[in-house]
Amino acid sequence: ETGVTQTPRHLVMGMTNKKSLKCEQHLGHNAMYWYKQSAKKPLELMFVYNFKEQTENNSVPSRFSPECPNSSHLFLHLHTLQPEDSALYLCASSPSGDRVVGAFFGQGTRLTVV
Amino acid sequence: AQKITQTQPGMFVQEKEAVTLDCTYDTSDQSYGLFWYKQPSSGEMIFLIYQGSYDEQNATEGRYSLNFQKARKSANLVISASQLGDSAMYFCAMREAGGTTDSWGKLQFGAGTQVVVTP
């Protein structure tokens, strides 16, 4: 059973909808991440949060809005998405100071924009 | 520019045989980390093995070993005695030294190699 849980696992939304992806970790990690995995492209880092503060935004369009209310929860709010935003969205977390394990990933939310 | 290159889009391997997955990387940092992840069809990324740039010995984890050739900037994954459950996508990833120790999950990934293990 993964230590990082993402909900929902699958989501279909229209371009005018507003939805949110949720990520939860109970591993005691202080850093959380959103990655995007599109077909035929490498995983792309979207956002990084450390101790609830956003430390990185990799030029992500504003229709993606992250929120990190505490070190255990991370959200990705979606609005007015485009069909090309259809992808697998992976949440990850990592402990501070422990380099060996890199990132712990959730199972992802498979998003389809219609 | 792509920093992690995996040149094998897909591979077939027979059960119980060994398979080598290629990975080359590009960095000007002296301190960096290299990772391999496995992604089954369920979607989850599963950590397999890690190699630090200053580690003198190649990393091993059970049936996984990492063939680290620093001068060639190569970090190939070797899976010994393949099993049917090894069928998955395999990703090579790198963590460069820039940034704080609070974001060690900030990784750059290659395009992946699809491995299919046949009976």
Side-chain angles (χ1 to χ4, degrees), chain B residues 52-73:
Chain B
S53 59
Y54 292 118
D55 295 340
E56 295 185 351
Q57 293 198 342
N58 287 343
T60 60
E61 289 285 350
R63 293 186 298 110
Y64 304 107
S65 60
L66 199 151
N67 184 2
F68 181 47
Q69 298 187 44
K70 193 171 182 177
R72 295 185 178 182
K73 293 189 176 178

Side-chain angles (χ1 to χ4, degrees), chain B residues 3-73:
Chain B
K3 293 201 168 189
I4 303 290
T5 303
Q6 294 180 253
T7 57
Q8 306 152 309
M11 297 184 71
F12 286 92
V13 58
Q14 203 148 19
E15 201 175 5
K16 299 180 184 177
E17 289 187 350
V19 60
T20 298
L21 307 183
D22 296 339
C23 173
T24 57
Y25 59 92
D26 181 29
T27 182
S28 56
D29 287 356
Q30 295 302 307
S31 176
Y32 52 89
L34 297 159
F35 301 80
W36 277 92
Y37 283 86
K38 171 185 178 182
Q39 187 179 40
S41 57
S42 60
E44 183 184 2
M45 298 286 283
I46 302 168
F47 165 74
L48 295 178
I49 196 167
Y50 165 83
Q51 179 84 42
S53 59
Y54 292 118
D55 295 340
E56 295 185 351
Q57 293 198 342
N58 287 343
T60 60
E61 289 285 350
R63 293 186 298 110
Y64 304 107
S65 60
L66 199 151
N67 184 2
F68 181 47
Q69 298 187 44
K70 193 171 182 177
R72 295 185 178 182
K73 293 189 176 178

Side-chain angles (χ1 to χ4, degrees), chain A residues 6-51:
Chain A
Q6 290 187 243
T7 54
R9 293 291 311 279
H10 300 271
L11 178 63
V12 179
M13 61 185 288
M15 289 189 284
T16 59
N17 291 159
K18 289 185 180 181
K19 296 287 184 183
S20 295
L21 310 184
K22 179 182 176 182
C23 176
E24 187 173 355
Q25 59 93 3
H26 296 290
L27 300 170
H29 294 169
N30 294 314
M32 296 189 76
Y33 314 79
W34 280 115
Y35 283 86
K36 176 183 179 182
Q37 186 177 25
S38 304
K40 300 181 181 179
K41 289 178 70 175
L43 272 80
E44 303 169 84
L45 179 65
M46 300 174 71
F47 301 103
V48 180
Y49 277 82
N50 283 313
F51 296 95

